[in-house]
Amino acid sequence: FLNHLFAVNGIYYVPLNPSDRTCEAIDCVYDETASIINLSSIVPYRGITMNVQKVQPYICYNNKYIKSLYCEYNGNIENNTFYGCTGITSIVCNNSGDVEQDAFKGCTSITGVECNNDGDIQQNTFNGCTSITKVICNNSGAIGDNAFSGCKLLDNIVLGNRVKNIG
């Protein structure tokens, strides 16, 4: 049973190597059950702990059902992962990699972002997120060019002492 597609917390995973208990996030659920997404490095499946090796780009592209996202994943949030998810209102990213370009582009309902990742927030990551009012950023990498471009309501930014460079 470890070689079949399975869903946990609104994300679809496919096993990569059942004997190593590894999987990959490849898609998401497009209905009301996906309102809270918890993207983690470890997911339970039928009593077995699976280690997430990769989150594919575009997995939640234009998903209008997602309301909040908590990310504690030991890797990158790939390009366009949550692009156009206009229902998301809050994001907490505690991943160990980068939040790549356009990852949240066009998510027009996000009001708050908290990033405590150990990587970069790349260019255009939150471009066009027109409802963001507050960002707490304590990542240990750089904040890329135009990371918050078009965030016209953004008036409260808290930067931690780990931020290395701002584009």
Side-chain angles (χ1 to χ4, degrees):
F1 66 87
L2 286 179
N3 48 356
H4 296 288
L5 183 74
F6 63 97
V8 176
N9 296 323
I11 300 291
Y12 285 111
Y13 298 89
V14 63
L16 296 174
N17 186 335
S19 62
D20 288 342
R21 307 292 196 245
T22 57
C23 63
E24 183 173 283
I26 61 164
D27 202 355
C28 71
V29 176
Y30 283 84
D31 65 23
E32 294 81 13
T33 62
S35 66
I36 300 171
I37 297 288
N38 185 351
L39 195 54
S40 181
S41 290
I42 298 171
V43 293
Y45 177 60
R46 293 187 176 185
I48 295 172
T49 300
M50 301 290 285
N51 295 303
V52 180
Q53 297 298 302
K54 183 169 176 70
V55 174
Q56 288 293 329
Y58 295 98
I59 66 167
C60 294
Y61 185 83
N62 276 335
N63 189 327
K64 312 293 188 232
Y65 295 100
I66 302 170
K67 303 294 180 216
S68 64
L69 170 68
Y70 182 77
C71 183
E72 195 166 69
Y73 166 65
N74 292 330
N76 295 337
I77 303 302
E78 298 287 336
N79 298 340
N80 303 297
T81 301
F82 296 95
Y83 185 108
C85 294
T86 56
I88 297 176
T89 59
S90 66
I91 297 171
V92 176
C93 282
N94 294 322
N95 60 307
S96 64
D98 295 337
V99 182
E100 294 188 359
Q101 66 183 21
D102 299 329
F104 296 99
K105 185 175 183 178
C107 295
T108 55
S109 296
I110 298 171
T111 58
V113 175
E114 182 178 340
C115 285
N116 300 304
N117 59 313
D118 289 331
D120 296 338
I121 295 174
Q122 294 185 354
Q123 67 222 27
N124 296 311
T125 299
F126 295 97
N127 187 330
C129 296
T130 55
S131 297
I132 293 177
T133 59
K134 183 175 184 177
V135 172
I136 299 170
C137 186
N138 194 28
N139 64 313
S140 63
I143 298 174
D145 294 339
N146 301 310
F148 296 96
S149 177
C151 299
K152 55 188 172 190
L153 298 179
L154 182 56
D155 64 358
N156 188 347
I157 300 175
V158 178
L159 297 177
N161 60 1
R162 297 183 334 140
V163 176
K164 294 179 179 166
N165 186 28
I166 300 173

